[in-house]
Coordinates of all heavy atoms in Angstrom, one line a residue:
M1 N -19.3 22.9 -5.1 CA -19.3 22.9 -3.7 C -19.4 24.3 -3.2 O -18.8 25.2 -3.6 CB -17.9 22.3 -3.3 CG -17.8 22.3 -1.8 SD -16.1 21.7 -1.2 CE -16.0 20.1 -2.1
N2 N -20.3 24.5 -2.3 CA -20.6 25.8 -1.7 C -19.6 26.1 -0.5 O -19.3 25.2 0.2 CB -22.0 25.9 -1.2 CG -23.0 25.9 -2.3 OD1 -22.7 26.3 -3.4 ND2 -24.2 25.5 -2.0
E3 N -19.2 27.3 -0.4 CA -18.4 27.7 0.7 C -19.3 27.9 1.9 O -20.4 28.6 1.8 CB -17.7 29.0 0.4 CG -16.3 29.0 0.6 CD -15.6 30.3 0.2 OE1 -16.0 31.4 0.6 OE2 -14.7 30.2 -0.6
A4 N -18.9 27.4 3.0 CA -19.7 27.6 4.2 C -19.4 29.0 4.8 O -18.2 29.4 4.8 CB -19.5 26.5 5.3
S5 N -20.3 29.7 5.3 CA -20.1 31.0 5.9 C -20.1 30.8 7.4 O -21.0 30.2 8.0 CB -21.2 31.9 5.5 OG -21.3 33.0 6.4
L6 N -19.0 31.2 8.1 CA -18.9 31.0 9.5 C -20.0 31.7 10.3 O -20.6 31.1 11.2 CB -17.5 31.5 10.0 CG -17.2 31.3 11.4 CD1 -17.2 29.8 11.7 CD2 -15.8 31.8 11.8
P7 N -20.3 33.0 10.0 CA -21.4 33.6 10.8 C -22.7 32.8 10.6 O -23.4 32.7 11.6 CB -21.5 35.0 10.2 CG -20.2 35.3 9.6 CD -19.7 33.9 9.1
N8 N -23.0 32.3 9.5 CA -24.2 31.5 9.3 C -24.2 30.3 10.1 O -25.2 29.9 10.8 CB -24.5 31.1 7.8 CG -24.9 32.3 7.0 OD1 -25.3 33.4 7.6 ND2 -24.9 32.2 5.7
R9 N -23.0 29.6 10.1 CA -22.9 28.4 10.9 C -23.1 28.7 12.4 O -23.7 27.9 13.1 CB -21.5 27.8 10.8 CG -21.2 27.3 9.4 CD -22.0 26.2 9.0 NE -21.8 25.1 9.9 CZ -22.2 23.8 9.7 NH1 -22.7 23.5 8.6 NH2 -22.0 22.9 10.6
L10 N -22.5 29.8 12.9 CA -22.6 30.1 14.3 C -24.1 30.5 14.6 O -24.6 30.1 15.7 CB -21.7 31.3 14.6 CG -20.2 31.0 14.5 CD1 -19.4 32.2 14.8 CD2 -19.8 29.9 15.5
S11 N -24.7 31.3 13.8 CA -26.1 31.7 14.1 C -27.1 30.5 14.0 O -28.1 30.5 14.7 CB -26.6 32.8 13.1 OG -26.7 32.3 11.8
E12 N -26.7 29.5 13.3 CA -27.6 28.3 13.2 C -27.2 27.3 14.3 O -27.9 26.3 14.5 CB -27.4 27.7 11.8 CG -28.0 28.5 10.7 CD -27.5 28.0 9.3 OE1 -27.0 26.9 9.2 OE2 -27.7 28.7 8.4
N13 N -26.2 27.6 15.0 CA -25.7 26.8 16.1 C -25.5 25.3 15.7 O -25.9 24.4 16.3 CB -26.7 26.8 17.3 CG -26.1 26.3 18.6 OD1 -24.8 26.4 18.7 ND2 -26.9 25.9 19.5
I14 N -24.9 25.2 14.5 CA -24.6 23.9 14.0 C -23.2 23.5 14.3 O -22.2 24.2 14.0 CB -24.7 23.8 12.4 CG1 -26.2 24.2 12.1 CG2 -24.3 22.5 11.9 CD1 -26.4 24.4 10.6
P15 N -23.0 22.4 15.0 CA -21.6 22.0 15.4 C -20.7 21.6 14.2 O -21.2 21.0 13.3 CB -21.8 20.8 16.4 CG -23.1 20.3 16.0 CD -23.9 21.4 15.5
L16 N -19.5 22.0 14.3 CA -18.5 21.7 13.3 C -17.5 20.7 13.9 O -17.2 20.9 15.1 CB -17.7 22.9 12.8 CG -18.5 23.9 11.9 CD1 -17.7 25.1 11.8 CD2 -18.7 23.3 10.6
T17 N -17.1 19.7 13.2 CA -16.1 18.8 13.7 C -14.8 19.0 12.9 O -14.8 19.2 11.7 CB -16.6 17.4 13.6 OG1 -16.9 17.1 12.3 CG2 -17.8 17.1 14.6
P18 N -13.6 18.9 13.7 CA -12.4 19.0 13.0 C -12.2 17.9 11.9 O -12.6 16.8 12.1 CB -11.3 18.8 14.1 CG -12.0 18.6 15.3 CD -13.5 18.6 15.1
G19 N -11.7 18.3 10.8 CA -11.4 17.4 9.7 C -12.6 17.2 8.8 O -12.5 16.5 7.8
S20 N -13.8 17.7 9.2 CA -15.0 17.6 8.4 C -14.9 18.4 7.1 O -14.2 19.5 7.1 CB -16.2 18.0 9.1 OG -16.3 19.3 9.4
A21 N -15.6 18.0 6.1 CA -15.6 18.8 4.8 C -16.1 20.2 5.1 O -15.7 21.2 4.5 CB -16.4 18.1 3.8
E22 N -17.1 20.3 6.0 CA -17.7 21.6 6.3 C -16.7 22.5 6.9 O -16.6 23.7 6.5 CB -18.9 21.4 7.2 CG -20.1 20.8 6.6 CD -21.2 20.5 7.6 OE1 -20.9 19.9 8.6 OE2 -22.3 20.9 7.3
A23 N -15.9 22.0 7.8 CA -14.9 22.8 8.5 C -13.8 23.3 7.5 O -13.4 24.4 7.5 CB -14.2 22.0 9.6
K24 N -13.5 22.4 6.5 CA -12.5 22.8 5.5 C -13.0 23.9 4.6 O -12.2 24.6 3.9 CB -12.0 21.6 4.8 CG -11.2 20.7 5.7 CD -10.7 19.4 5.0 CE -9.9 18.6 6.0 NZ -9.8 17.2 5.7
R25 N -14.3 24.0 4.4 CA -14.8 25.0 3.5 C -15.0 26.4 4.2 O -15.3 27.3 3.5 CB -16.2 24.5 3.0 CG -16.1 23.4 2.0 CD -17.4 23.2 1.2 NE -18.6 23.3 2.0 CZ -19.3 22.2 2.4 NH1 -18.9 21.0 2.1 NH2 -20.4 22.4 3.1
I26 N -14.8 26.4 5.5 CA -15.0 27.7 6.2 C -14.0 28.7 5.7 O -12.8 28.5 5.6 CB -14.9 27.5 7.7 CG1 -16.0 26.6 8.3 CG2 -14.9 28.9 8.4 CD1 -17.4 27.3 8.3
R27 N -14.5 29.9 5.4 CA -13.7 31.1 5.0 C -14.0 32.1 6.1 O -15.2 32.5 6.2 CB -13.9 31.6 3.6 CG -13.6 30.6 2.5 CD -12.1 30.2 2.5 NE -11.8 29.1 1.6 CZ -11.7 27.9 1.9 NH1 -11.8 27.5 3.2 NH2 -11.4 26.9 1.0
V28 N -13.0 32.6 6.8 CA -13.3 33.5 7.9 C -13.3 35.0 7.3 O -12.4 35.4 6.7 CB -12.1 33.4 8.9 CG1 -12.3 34.5 10.0 CG2 -12.1 32.0 9.5
P29 N -14.5 35.7 7.6 CA -14.5 37.1 7.2 C -13.5 37.9 7.9 O -13.2 37.6 9.1 CB -15.9 37.5 7.6 CG -16.7 36.2 7.8 CD -15.7 35.2 8.2
H30 N -12.9 38.9 7.3 CA -11.8 39.6 7.9 C -12.2 40.2 9.2 O -11.4 40.2 10.2 CB -11.4 40.8 6.9 CG -10.3 41.6 7.4 ND1 -9.0 41.1 7.5 CD2 -10.3 42.9 7.9 CE1 -8.2 42.1 8.0 NE2 -9.0 43.1 8.2
D31 N -13.4 40.7 9.4 CA -13.8 41.4 10.7 C -14.0 40.4 11.8 O -14.2 40.7 12.9 CB -15.0 42.3 10.5 CG -16.2 41.5 10.0 OD1 -16.1 40.3 9.6 OD2 -17.3 42.1 10.0
T32 N -14.0 39.1 11.5 CA -14.2 38.0 12.5 C -12.8 37.5 13.0 O -12.8 36.9 14.1 CB -15.0 36.9 11.9 OG1 -16.2 37.4 11.3 CG2 -15.4 35.9 12.9
V33 N -11.8 37.8 12.3 CA -10.4 37.3 12.7 C -10.0 37.6 14.1 O -9.6 36.8 14.9 CB -9.4 37.7 11.7 CG1 -8.0 37.4 12.2 CG2 -9.6 37.1 10.3
P34 N -10.2 38.9 14.6 CA -9.7 39.2 16.0 C -10.5 38.3 17.0 O -9.8 37.8 18.0 CB -10.1 40.7 16.2 CG -10.0 41.2 14.8 CD -10.6 40.1 13.9
A35 N -11.7 38.1 16.9 CA -12.5 37.3 17.8 C -12.0 35.8 17.8 O -11.8 35.2 18.8 CB -14.0 37.4 17.6
L36 N -11.8 35.3 16.5 CA -11.3 33.9 16.4 C -9.9 33.8 16.9 O -9.5 32.7 17.4 CB -11.5 33.5 15.0 CG -12.9 33.3 14.5 CD1 -13.0 32.9 13.0 CD2 -13.6 32.3 15.3
R37 N -9.1 34.8 16.7 CA -7.7 34.8 17.3 C -7.8 34.6 18.8 O -7.0 33.8 19.4 CB -7.0 36.1 16.9 CG -5.5 36.1 17.4 CD -4.8 37.4 17.0 NE -4.8 37.6 15.6 CZ -5.3 38.6 14.9 NH1 -5.8 39.6 15.6 NH2 -5.2 38.7 13.6
S38 N -8.7 35.3 19.4 CA -8.8 35.2 20.9 C -9.3 33.8 21.3 O -8.8 33.2 22.2 CB -9.8 36.3 21.4 OG -10.1 36.1 22.7
D39 N -10.3 33.3 20.5 CA -10.8 31.9 20.7 C -9.7 30.9 20.6 O -9.6 30.0 21.4 CB -11.9 31.6 19.8 CG -13.2 32.4 20.1 OD1 -13.3 33.0 21.2 OD2 -14.1 32.4 19.2
H40 N -8.9 31.0 19.5 CA -7.8 30.1 19.3 C -6.8 30.1 20.4 O -6.4 29.1 20.9 CB -7.1 30.4 18.0 CG -6.1 29.5 17.6 ND1 -4.7 29.7 17.9 CD2 -6.1 28.3 16.9 CE1 -4.0 28.7 17.5 NE2 -4.8 27.8 16.9
A41 N -6.5 31.3 20.9 CA -5.5 31.4 22.0 C -6.2 30.8 23.3 O -5.5 30.1 24.0 CB -5.2 32.9 22.3
G42 N -7.4 31.0 23.5 CA -8.1 30.3 24.6 C -8.1 28.8 24.6 O -7.9 28.1 25.6
E43 N -8.3 28.3 23.4 CA -8.3 26.8 23.2 C -6.8 26.3 23.5 O -6.6 25.3 24.1 CB -8.7 26.4 21.8 CG -10.2 26.8 21.5 CD -11.3 26.2 22.4 OE1 -11.0 25.4 23.2 OE2 -12.4 26.7 22.2
T44 N -5.9 27.1 23.0 CA -4.5 26.7 23.2 C -4.2 26.7 24.7 O -3.5 25.7 25.2 CB -3.5 27.7 22.5 OG1 -3.8 27.7 21.1 CG2 -2.1 27.4 22.8
G45 N -4.6 27.7 25.4 CA -4.4 27.7 26.9 C -5.1 26.6 27.6 O -4.6 26.0 28.5
A46 N -6.4 26.3 27.2 CA -7.1 25.2 27.8 C -6.4 23.9 27.7 O -6.3 23.1 28.6 CB -8.5 25.1 27.2
V47 N -5.9 23.6 26.5 CA -5.1 22.4 26.3 C -3.9 22.3 27.2 O -3.7 21.3 27.8 CB -4.7 22.2 24.8 CG1 -3.7 21.1 24.6 CG2 -5.9 21.9 23.9
S48 N -3.2 23.4 27.3 CA -2.1 23.4 28.2 C -2.5 23.3 29.7 O -1.7 22.6 30.4 CB -1.3 24.8 28.0 OG -0.8 24.8 26.7
I49 N -3.6 23.8 30.1 CA -4.0 23.7 31.5 C -4.2 22.2 31.8 O -3.8 21.7 32.8 CB -5.3 24.5 31.7 CG1 -5.0 26.0 31.8 CG2 -6.0 24.1 33.0 CD1 -6.2 26.9 31.7
Y50 N -5.0 21.5 30.9 CA -5.3 20.1 31.2 C -4.0 19.2 31.1 O -3.9 18.3 31.9 CB -6.4 19.6 30.4 CG -7.7 20.3 30.8 CD1 -8.4 21.1 29.9 CD2 -8.2 20.1 32.0 CE1 -9.5 21.8 30.3 CE2 -9.4 20.7 32.4 CZ -10.0 21.6 31.6 OH -11.2 22.2 32.0
R51 N -3.1 19.6 30.2 CA -1.8 18.9 30.2 C -1.1 19.1 31.5 O -0.4 18.2 32.0 CB -1.0 19.3 29.0 CG -1.5 18.7 27.7 CD -0.6 19.1 26.5 NE -1.1 18.5 25.3 CZ -0.8 19.0 24.1 NH1 -0.1 20.1 23.9 NH2 -1.3 18.4 23.0
G52 N -1.1 20.3 32.0 CA -0.4 20.6 33.2 C -1.0 19.9 34.4 O -0.2 19.4 35.2
I53 N -2.3 19.8 34.4 CA -2.9 19.0 35.5 C -2.5 17.6 35.5 O -2.1 17.0 36.5 CB -4.4 19.1 35.4 CG1 -4.9 20.5 35.8 CG2 -5.1 18.1 36.3 CD1 -6.4 20.8 35.5
L54 N -2.4 17.0 34.2 CA -2.0 15.6 34.1 C -0.5 15.4 34.4 O -0.2 14.3 34.9 CB -2.3 15.1 32.7 CG -3.8 14.9 32.4 CD1 -4.0 14.7 30.9 CD2 -4.4 13.8 33.2
A55 N 0.2 16.5 34.3 CA 1.7 16.3 34.6 C 1.9 16.3 36.1 O 2.9 15.7 36.5 CB 2.4 17.5 33.9
V56 N 1.1 16.9 36.9 CA 1.4 17.1 38.3 C 0.4 16.3 39.2 O 0.8 16.0 40.3 CB 1.4 18.5 38.7 CG1 2.5 19.3 38.0 CG2 0.0 19.2 38.6
S57 N -0.8 16.0 38.8 CA -1.7 15.3 39.7 C -1.6 13.8 39.6 O -1.5 13.2 38.5 CB -3.2 15.7 39.3 OG -4.1 15.1 40.2
R58 N -1.7 13.2 40.8 CA -1.7 11.7 40.8 C -3.1 11.3 41.4 O -3.3 10.1 41.5 CB -0.6 11.2 41.8 CG 0.8 11.5 41.3 CD 1.0 10.8 40.0 NE 2.2 11.3 39.3 CZ 2.2 12.0 38.1 NH1 1.0 12.2 37.5 NH2 3.3 12.4 37.5
L59 N -4.0 12.2 41.6 CA -5.4 11.8 42.1 C -6.2 11.4 40.9 O -6.4 12.1 40.0 CB -6.0 13.1 42.8 CG -5.3 13.6 44.0 CD1 -5.9 14.9 44.4 CD2 -5.3 12.6 45.1
E60 N -6.6 10.1 41.0 CA -7.3 9.5 39.9 C -8.6 10.3 39.4 O -8.8 10.5 38.2 CB -7.7 8.1 40.2 CG -8.1 7.3 38.9 CD -7.2 7.5 37.7 OE1 -6.0 7.5 37.9 OE2 -7.7 7.7 36.6
P61 N -9.4 10.8 40.3 CA -10.6 11.6 39.9 C -10.2 12.8 39.1 O -10.8 13.2 38.1 CB -11.4 11.9 41.2 CG -10.9 10.9 42.2 CD -9.5 10.6 41.8
V62 N -9.2 13.5 39.6 CA -8.7 14.7 39.0 C -8.1 14.3 37.6 O -8.4 15.0 36.6 CB -7.6 15.4 39.8 CG1 -7.0 16.5 39.1 CG2 -8.2 15.9 41.1
R63 N -7.3 13.3 37.5 CA -6.8 12.9 36.2 C -7.8 12.5 35.2 O -7.8 12.8 34.0 CB -5.8 11.7 36.4 CG -4.5 12.1 37.2 CD -3.5 11.0 37.3 NE -3.1 10.6 36.0 CZ -2.1 11.2 35.3 NH1 -1.6 12.3 35.7 NH2 -1.8 10.8 34.1
A64 N -8.9 11.8 35.7 CA -10.0 11.4 34.8 C -10.7 12.6 34.3 O -11.0 12.7 33.1 CB -10.9 10.5 35.5
F65 N -10.9 13.6 35.2 CA -11.6 14.8 34.8 C -10.7 15.5 33.7 O -11.2 16.0 32.7 CB -11.7 15.7 36.0 CG -12.3 17.1 35.7 CD1 -13.6 17.3 35.6 CD2 -11.4 18.2 35.5 CE1 -14.1 18.6 35.4 CE2 -11.8 19.4 35.3 CZ -13.2 19.7 35.2
A66 N -9.4 15.6 34.0 CA -8.5 16.3 33.1 C -8.4 15.6 31.7 O -8.3 16.3 30.7 CB -7.1 16.5 33.7
C67 N -8.4 14.3 31.8 CA -8.3 13.5 30.5 C -9.5 13.8 29.6 O -9.4 14.1 28.4 CB -8.3 12.0 30.8 SG -6.6 11.4 31.1
R68 N -10.7 13.8 30.2 CA -11.9 14.1 29.5 C -11.9 15.5 28.9 O -12.2 15.7 27.7 CB -13.2 13.9 30.4 CG -13.6 12.5 30.7 CD -14.9 12.4 31.3 NE -15.2 13.4 32.4 CZ -14.9 13.1 33.7 NH1 -14.4 11.9 34.0 NH2 -15.1 14.0 34.6
H69 N -11.5 16.4 29.7 CA -11.5 17.8 29.2 C -10.4 18.1 28.2 O -10.6 18.9 27.3 CB -11.5 18.8 30.4 CG -12.8 18.8 31.1 ND1 -13.9 19.7 30.7 CD2 -13.3 18.0 32.1 CE1 -14.9 19.4 31.5 NE2 -14.6 18.5 32.3
L70 N -9.3 17.4 28.4 CA -8.2 17.6 27.5 C -8.6 17.1 26.1 O -8.4 17.8 25.1 CB -6.9 16.8 27.9 CG -5.8 16.8 26.9 CD1 -5.3 18.2 26.6 CD2 -4.6 16.0 27.5
E71 N -9.3 16.0 26.0 CA -9.8 15.5 24.7 C -10.7 16.5 24.1 O -10.6 16.7 22.9 CB -10.5 14.1 25.0 CG -10.8 13.4 23.7 CD -11.4 12.0 23.9 OE1 -10.8 11.3 24.8 OE2 -12.4 11.7 23.3
T72 N -11.6 17.0 24.8 CA -12.6 18.0 24.3 C -11.8 19.3 23.8 O -12.1 19.7 22.7 CB -13.6 18.4 25.4 OG1 -14.3 17.2 25.8 CG2 -14.6 19.5 24.9
E73 N -10.9 19.8 24.6 CA -10.2 21.0 24.2 C -9.3 20.8 23.1 O -9.1 21.7 22.2 CB -9.4 21.6 25.4 CG -10.3 22.0 26.6 CD -11.4 22.9 26.2 OE1 -11.3 23.7 25.3 OE2 -12.5 22.9 26.9
Q74 N -8.7 19.6 22.9 CA -7.9 19.3 21.8 C -8.7 19.3 20.5 O -8.3 19.7 19.4 CB -7.2 17.9 21.9 CG -6.0 18.0 22.9 CD -5.4 16.7 23.2 OE1 -6.0 15.7 23.3 NE2 -4.1 16.7 23.3
Q75 N -9.9 18.8 20.6 CA -10.8 18.8 19.5 C -11.2 20.2 19.1 O -11.2 20.6 17.9 CB -12.1 18.0 19.8 CG -13.0 17.8 18.6 CD -14.2 16.9 18.9 OE1 -14.5 16.5 20.0 NE2 -14.9 16.5 17.8
H76 N -11.5 21.1 20.1 CA -11.7 22.5 19.8 C -10.5 23.1 19.1 O -10.7 23.9 18.1 CB -12.0 23.2 21.1 CG -13.3 22.8 21.8 ND1 -13.6 23.2 23.1 CD2 -14.3 22.0 21.4 CE1 -14.7 22.7 23.4 NE2 -15.2 21.9 22.4
L77 N -9.3 22.8 19.6 CA -8.1 23.4 19.1 C -7.9 23.0 17.6 O -7.5 23.8 16.8 CB -6.9 23.2 20.0 CG -5.6 23.8 19.5 CD1 -5.7 25.3 19.4 CD2 -4.5 23.5 20.5
R78 N -8.1 21.7 17.4 CA -8.0 21.2 16.0 C -8.9 21.9 15.0 O -8.5 22.3 13.9 CB -8.2 19.7 15.9 CG -7.0 18.9 16.4 CD -7.1 17.4 16.0 NE -8.3 16.8 16.6 CZ -8.4 16.2 17.8 NH1 -7.4 16.1 18.6 NH2 -9.6 15.6 18.2
L79 N -10.1 22.1 15.5 CA -11.1 22.9 14.6 C -10.6 24.3 14.4 O -10.6 24.8 13.3 CB -12.5 22.8 15.3 CG -13.6 23.6 14.5 CD1 -13.7 23.0 13.1 CD2 -14.9 23.5 15.3
M80 N -10.2 25.0 15.5 CA -9.7 26.3 15.4 C -8.4 26.4 14.5 O -8.3 27.3 13.7 CB -9.4 26.9 16.7 CG -10.6 27.1 17.6 SD -11.9 28.1 16.8 CE -11.0 29.7 16.7
D81 N -7.6 25.4 14.6 CA -6.4 25.3 13.7 C -6.8 25.3 12.2 O -6.1 25.8 11.3 CB -5.5 24.1 14.0 CG -4.7 24.3 15.2 OD1 -4.5 25.5 15.7 OD2 -4.2 23.3 15.8
E82 N -7.9 24.6 11.9 CA -8.4 24.4 10.6 C -9.0 25.7 10.1 O -8.8 26.1 8.9 CB -9.4 23.3 10.4 CG -8.8 22.0 10.6 CD -9.9 20.9 10.5 OE1 -10.9 21.1 9.8 OE2 -9.7 19.8 11.1
I83 N -9.7 26.4 11.0 CA -10.4 27.6 10.6 C -9.5 28.8 10.4 O -9.6 29.6 9.5 CB -11.6 27.9 11.6 CG1 -12.6 26.8 11.5 CG2 -12.2 29.3 11.3 CD1 -13.7 26.9 12.5
L84 N -8.5 28.9 11.4 CA -7.7 30.1 11.4 C -6.3 29.8 10.9 O -5.6 29.0 11.6 CB -7.6 30.6 12.9 CG -7.3 32.1 13.1 CD1 -8.3 33.0 12.4 CD2 -7.2 32.4 14.6
T85 N -5.9 30.3 9.8 CA -4.6 30.0 9.3 C -3.5 30.6 10.2 O -3.7 31.5 11.0 CB -4.4 30.7 7.9 OG1 -4.5 32.1 8.0 CG2 -5.4 30.1 6.9
P86 N -2.3 30.0 10.2 CA -1.2 30.4 11.1 C -0.9 31.9 11.1 O -0.6 32.4 12.2 CB 0.0 29.5 10.6 CG -0.6 28.3 10.0 CD -1.9 28.8 9.4
T87 N -1.0 32.5 10.0 CA -0.6 33.9 10.0 C -1.7 34.8 10.7 O -1.4 35.9 11.0 CB -0.5 34.4 8.5 OG1 -1.8 34.2 7.8 CG2 0.6 33.8 7.8
K88 N -2.8 34.2 10.9 CA -3.9 35.0 11.6 C -4.0 34.7 13.1 O -4.8 35.3 13.8 CB -5.3 34.7 11.0 CG -5.3 35.2 9.5 CD -6.6 34.9 8.9 CE -6.6 35.4 7.5 NZ -7.7 34.8 6.7
R89 N -3.1 33.8 13.6 CA -3.2 33.4 15.0 C -2.4 34.4 15.9 O -1.6 35.1 15.4 CB -2.6 32.0 15.2 CG -3.4 31.0 14.4 CD -2.8 29.6 14.5 NE -3.5 28.7 13.6 CZ -3.0 27.5 13.2 NH1 -1.8 27.1 13.6 NH2 -3.7 26.8 12.3
S90 N -2.6 34.3 17.1 CA -1.9 35.2 18.1 C -0.4 34.9 18.1 O 0.0 33.8 18.0 CB -2.5 34.9 19.5 OG -1.7 35.6 20.5
K91 N 0.3 36.0 18.2 CA 1.8 35.9 18.3 C 2.2 35.5 19.7 O 3.3 35.2 20.0 CB 2.5 37.2 17.9 CG 2.1 37.8 16.6 CD 2.5 36.9 15.4 CE 2.2 37.5 14.1 NZ 1.3 36.7 13.3
L92 N 1.2 35.5 20.6 CA 1.5 35.1 22.0 C 1.2 33.7 22.3 O 1.2 33.3 23.5 CB 0.7 36.1 22.9 CG 1.0 37.6 22.7 CD1 0.1 38.4 23.6 CD2 2.4 37.9 23.1
L93 N 1.0 32.8 21.3 CA 0.7 31.4 21.6 C 1.8 30.7 22.5 O 1.4 30.0 23.4 CB 0.5 30.7 20.3 CG -0.8 31.0 19.6 CD1 -0.9 30.2 18.3 CD2 -2.0 30.7 20.5
P94 N 3.1 31.0 22.3 CA 4.0 30.4 23.2 C 3.8 30.7 24.7 O 3.9 29.9 25.6 CB 5.4 30.9 22.7 CG 5.1 31.2 21.3 CD 3.7 31.7 21.2
A95 N 3.4 32.0 24.9 CA 3.1 32.4 26.3 C 1.9 31.7 26.8 O 1.8 31.3 28.0 CB 2.9 33.9 26.4
W96 N 0.9 31.5 26.0 CA -0.3 30.8 26.4 C 0.0 29.3 26.8 O -0.5 28.8 27.7 CB -1.4 30.8 25.3 CG -2.2 32.0 25.2 CD1 -2.0 33.1 24.5 CD2 -3.3 32.4 26.0 NE1 -2.9 34.1 24.7 CE2 -3.7 33.6 25.7 CE3 -4.0 31.7 27.0 CZ2 -4.8 34.3 26.3 CZ3 -5.1 32.3 27.6 CH2 -5.5 33.6 27.2
R97 N 0.9 28.7 26.0 CA 1.3 27.3 26.3 C 2.0 27.2 27.6 O 1.8 26.3 28.4 CB 2.1 26.8 25.1 CG 1.3 26.6 23.9 CD 2.1 25.9 22.7 NE 1.4 25.9 21.5 CZ 1.6 26.8 20.5 NH1 2.6 27.6 20.6 NH2 0.9 26.7 19.4
V98 N 2.9 28.2 27.9 CA 3.6 28.1 29.1 C 2.7 28.5 30.3 O 2.8 27.8 31.4 CB 4.8 29.1 29.1 CG1 5.5 29.3 30.4 CG2 5.8 28.7 28.0
A99 N 1.9 29.5 30.1 CA 1.0 29.9 31.2 C 0.0 28.8 31.6 O -0.4 28.7 32.7 CB 0.3 31.2 30.9
G100 N -0.4 28.1 30.6 CA -1.4 27.1 30.8 C -0.8 26.0 31.6 O -1.4 25.4 32.5
Ligands
FE2_201 FE1 -12.7 24.8 24.3

């Protein structure tokens, strides 16, 4: 089994799906960790934003919009969770969850 290279995947613009064998083979190069840490925090914040909208909005079009985007952002976050091990993630994730 070959290890997938993250930079190659990105440059080829090939989508990865969470849980896929390809995603599980990704090994993050050390110099890519800071950028992925920022991406992971952003996905965490996005999930919290859409959860927050669903917690307060009763407008059906807004809720439908938030549901669709929450599903997408949760998928992004699951993929980032697979790619970036917990020790490499931002220490500020709790703040991102609250701020979102
Ligand atoms: Fe996203």
Side-chain angles (χ1 to χ4, degrees):
M1 181 183 306
N2 292 334
E3 229 177 55
S5 160
L6 186 59
N8 286 346
R9 297 292 303 196
L10 294 175
S11 66
E12 294 167 13
N13 199 23
I14 299 171
L16 288 168
T17 53
S20 68
E22 291 174 309
K24 290 178 178 156
R25 288 197 316 261
I26 294 289
R27 298 296 174 261
V28 176
H30 182 71
D31 60 349
T32 309
V33 169
L36 290 177
R37 181 180 300 123
S38 175
D39 288 348
H40 183 268
E43 301 299 353
T44 300
V47 166
S48 294
I49 287 169
Y50 291 114
R51 284 182 177 157
I53 291 170
L54 289 170
V56 298
S57 178
R58 297 295 166 249
L59 299 172
E60 193 47 45
V62 172
R63 292 184 61 79
F65 174 87
C67 276
R68 284 193 311 271
H69 286 272
L70 175 59
E71 189 174 316
T72 300
E73 297 307 332
Q74 285 175 321
Q75 187 173 12
H76 294 168
L77 183 56
R78 282 194 300 272
L79 180 59
M80 293 304 296
D81 281 345
E82 288 179 28
I83 292 173
L84 203 61
T85 59
T87 58
K88 295 176 180 167
R89 297 176 192 165
S90 172
K91 304 298 183 240
L92 300 175
L93 288 178
W96 278 97
R97 290 186 187 103
V98 171

